[in-house]
Amino acid sequence: MWRGLLLKGTACVLQVAATRFLHQRRFSSLCLRLLTPRLLHRPPLRLHGTGYFLAHSGTRSYKKDTKFTEFPASPVTVTDIKQYLRSKDIPFHDGYSCLHIQSIFIEASARKDSFSLFIDKTTGQFLCMDTLVEGSWEDLQDCLEVMQKEEQDFLSPHVLLGYPESVEEQEERERELREVQGIWSSSVPLTDLPEDEAQLIKTMFQITKISNATLKKFCVRLFKPTKSLVFPWFGGPDSSLKGIKLLSAQRTDSDKVTYNEATVPKCSSYYNLFGLPLVNRLDSEVVVTGQELDALAVSQATGLPSVALPRGVSCLPPILLPYLEQFKRVTLWLGGDIRSWEASKIFSRKLGLRRCSLVRPGEYRPCPVEALARGKNLSHIIKASIPAAHKSIVSFKQLREDVYGELVNTDQVAGVKWTRFPELNRILKGHRKGELTVFTGPTGSGKTTFISELALDLCMQGVNTLWGSFEINNVRLAKIMLTQFAMQRLEENLEQYDFWADKFEELPLYFMTFHGQQNIKTVLDTMQHAVYLYDINHVVIDNLQFMMGQENLSVDKFAVQDHIIGVFRKFATNSSCHVTLIIHPRKEEDDRELQTASIFGSAKASQEADNVLILQEKKLVTIPGRRSLQVTKNRFDGDVGIFPLDFIKASLTFSTPIKGKHKLRKVAYKPENEEEVEGKPALKKEEVKKEKVEKATKATKTPRTVKSPATESETAQK
């Protein structure tokens, strides 16, 4: 229920998923009120097949993720939550990212002074640490109203159970559990391996400095069939095994080691803070790392509590925030590159800036496991971490390390590179967070198709993407992107649909369920919600004109557009999220190329944008028009340019044609099979006209007057 939010409203974020998982039902608030009195007066039952909570056993099973998140029409604020709690005379503690109250799901005599129910300040979601009951803010309000009406001291944890799982979902969950148990029982502790074999495994994973005692402390094992390290997920009051992560290593030609991860259950349901069972309730400091091996290195070298995020630097799920509330100091050491540094700054906002400190990456501050291998002092690096919160005015002394870091890591600062558009990498250098890109092109030129492939390219590289398509519905858009992903027409290969759909479903891709004209505030609330829940890095809005129809008609439309563009600019900067905004151009002549001034509206769009891309199309009569992509603004380093595109209809993809195949200047089309006439190449239409005009001019021209010798001599003397 933490992920399948039970909130009412129309705005919604939808992730790619199989259709059969998109029609799930939940109990309404009315059903909750009707069921609760019955549950209050009977003992807890052993429930089979429920998809959320088995509170009697202390474990929580996960439904196959429905991949959708409804967003309330009027989002709850922390002020609203506090006012409501005060109106009910409920004491609370103001935490870093959550409000803490006493649990209403355990008897009053057992609560003592424990504030074990956590309410997320941003979404209102709650989690009871004693019973693992979780739900929405509306659920908690309903529970408190029922308690007050029925004059009860507590509620049964079974109040918030959802409908039973389908047979298919239950079989999937049982299969995953059997797979987890099978791999775990087949794996062996590294300490039980022969010394030479254990040393070989450590060398393979570059953890020769990690002691056997540390590996045993964290229960790390080896799965021999795939030579993978196994990291367990222990959770619940009984610390039962809930999942595993397999880590395999592969050495590249450049003598570098690359790691491949696989989790059971799948990534979307894997919420393991690795190392959390080893944390004491009295610990007030923790080091958060991006990888499990880094957590081992920090724990061994410093003795500090350390945990690893389940999805590395790509996401910090809000469901994990209550588990980090006890710490007064949180050090984020997510890696040694620019991407981990950017993720640290984003995650610190969720955790609370005032208690977070960040380890700045650099040559002398690599990732923890590499720092341990080099013999660095990890305790000194952690003590030298910088606070996440800073003043509004800074000096160059505070910026000096950031400037040096950008000079040293130029490729990483440039952003994520496209794999399908190398020419775009040459001009823009990469896709960067916090920027606003304005994209335009003639009507019918393929703007949506091109941007969908551009976004898909980044999404396949791990860039969490949110699509807001107001022109075409999500089914058609998903069909286009799936065709681009498979690089073939699946209508002609239906037997391959499930194969490609399963792979496509694993992408961090989400869709807003808006269609047609929408209010800018509703769209912005949904974007902020998605950034918080899914750590979205790229938002695509198609297109701007669909958000202008809902505004006040009495206001000038250009003023409305300027306001909307300013809102997106501010969102991109404050959320460290790249926003790609599609804007239709003004009506231009068909034979004229579009320019930056062709963008509809005032100059606000091009002024606020960091990048301006124009899809140019030269329409031809006999063959499809030639397309090219022009970059007219690049705030990162100023490079601009244009390169041709070929549209492959079978896969709905664009590609850069072979060098020299097309010329970028406009030329008239000449068929390849046109024969030469009288030994001379066929003339172009314009040249034929020009030749006719010249002949006509010569025919009507008067004969040249011949000057006399005397006249010529006089002219020479002058």
Side-chain angles (χ1 to χ4, degrees), residues 105-316:
F105 300 105
I106 59 176
E107 296 184 9
S109 59
R111 295 175 195 165
K112 298 180 181 179
D113 295 329
S114 175
F115 287 72
S116 58
L117 194 148
F118 297 86
I119 306 172
D120 191 291
K121 291 182 179 181
T122 304
T123 63
Q125 299 297 299
F126 74 89
L127 171 65
C128 175
M129 302 293 285
D130 294 322
T131 61
L132 297 185
V133 173
E134 56 186 6
S136 69
W137 171 241
E138 288 185 348
D139 291 334
L140 184 59
Q141 285 180 302
D142 289 338
C143 291
L144 293 173
E145 296 292 342
V146 170
M147 284 180 59
Q148 185 177 13
K149 183 177 180 180
E150 300 292 332
E151 298 182 354
Q152 298 291 331
D153 293 332
F154 76 102
L155 293 179
S156 168
H158 298 284
V159 167
L160 294 178
L161 287 172
Y163 277 109
E165 289 177 323
S166 65
V167 176
E168 191 176 72
E169 292 171 336
Q170 189 173 359
E171 290 178 352
E172 175 71 13
R173 184 168 56 87
E174 292 175 353
R175 184 195 63 78
E176 289 179 343
L177 185 59
R178 288 195 301 269
E179 187 176 357
V180 169
Q181 296 291 349
I183 295 176
W184 183 249
S185 60
S186 301
S187 58
V188 296
L190 289 176
T191 53
D192 294 348
L193 295 175
E195 186 176 350
D196 55 344
E197 185 177 356
Q199 192 63 27
L200 180 63
I201 295 297
K202 287 185 177 182
T203 304
M204 181 190 305
F205 288 92
Q206 295 184 330
I207 55 172
T208 54
K209 294 294 183 69
I210 302 293
S211 65
N212 290 338
T214 302
L215 295 171
K216 183 177 181 180
K217 175 183 176 182
F218 283 85
C219 300
V220 180
R221 293 189 177 186
L222 176 69
F223 187 59
K224 286 188 175 182
T226 58
K227 286 186 169 47
S228 303
L229 295 181
V230 183
F231 303 104
W233 174 16
F234 296 115
D238 57 351
S239 297
S240 59
L241 182 65
K242 306 177 71 173
I244 56 171
K245 176 184 283 190
L246 296 172
L247 182 69
S248 58
Q250 184 178 4
R251 191 173 294 275
T252 61
D253 297 336
S254 58
D255 205 29
K256 292 184 178 180
V257 177
T258 59
Y259 297 103
N260 298 314
E261 296 179 350
T263 62
V264 183
K266 61 181 182 180
C267 184
S268 59
S269 299
Y270 186 78
Y271 294 97
N272 176 27
L273 271 178
F274 178 74
L276 186 64
L278 300 177
V279 175
N280 192 289
R281 286 178 175 267
L282 300 178
D283 290 330
S284 61
E285 182 178 358
V286 69
V287 179
V288 178
T289 65
Q291 302 294 334
E292 287 77 8
L293 295 180
D294 290 335
L296 300 178
V298 170
S299 177
Q300 175 177 309
T302 66
L304 294 172
S306 59
V307 296
L309 298 177
R311 305 178 198 176
V313 299
S314 64
C315 183
L316 172 57

Side-chain angles (χ1 to χ4, degrees), residues 21-33:
F21 301 133
L22 300 181
H23 305 287
Q24 307 269 338
R25 297 176 60 196
R26 299 289 183 269
F27 279 125
S28 65
S29 300
L30 178 60
C31 293
L32 176 68
R33 294 189 179 95

Side-chain angles (χ1 to χ4, degrees), residues 649-702:
K649 190 173 182 180
S651 59
L652 302 179
T653 57
F654 292 83
S655 62
T656 304
I658 301 174
K659 200 170 185 180
K661 182 179 178 182
H662 296 298
K663 294 182 180 180
L664 293 181
R665 71 172 186 269
K666 288 186 176 181
V667 295
Y669 172 70
K670 183 187 78 170
E672 295 179 359
N673 59 354
E674 186 173 348
E675 298 179 356
E676 294 184 353
V677 180
E678 297 180 358
K680 294 182 179 181
L683 297 176
K684 300 174 185 177
K685 191 174 181 180
E686 291 82 357
E687 294 175 348
V688 171
K689 288 183 178 180
K690 186 176 180 181
E691 187 178 10
K692 288 181 179 179
V693 172
E694 290 176 354
K695 288 181 179 180
T697 304
K698 289 179 180 179
T700 59
K701 210 170 189 181
T702 57

Side-chain angles (χ1 to χ4, degrees), residues 541-555:
I541 299 296
D542 183 16
N543 57 63
L544 175 70
Q545 278 79 356
F546 275 90
M547 273 170 290
M548 296 175 60
Q550 292 291 323
E551 303 300 326
N552 193 342
L553 296 178
S554 63
V555 181

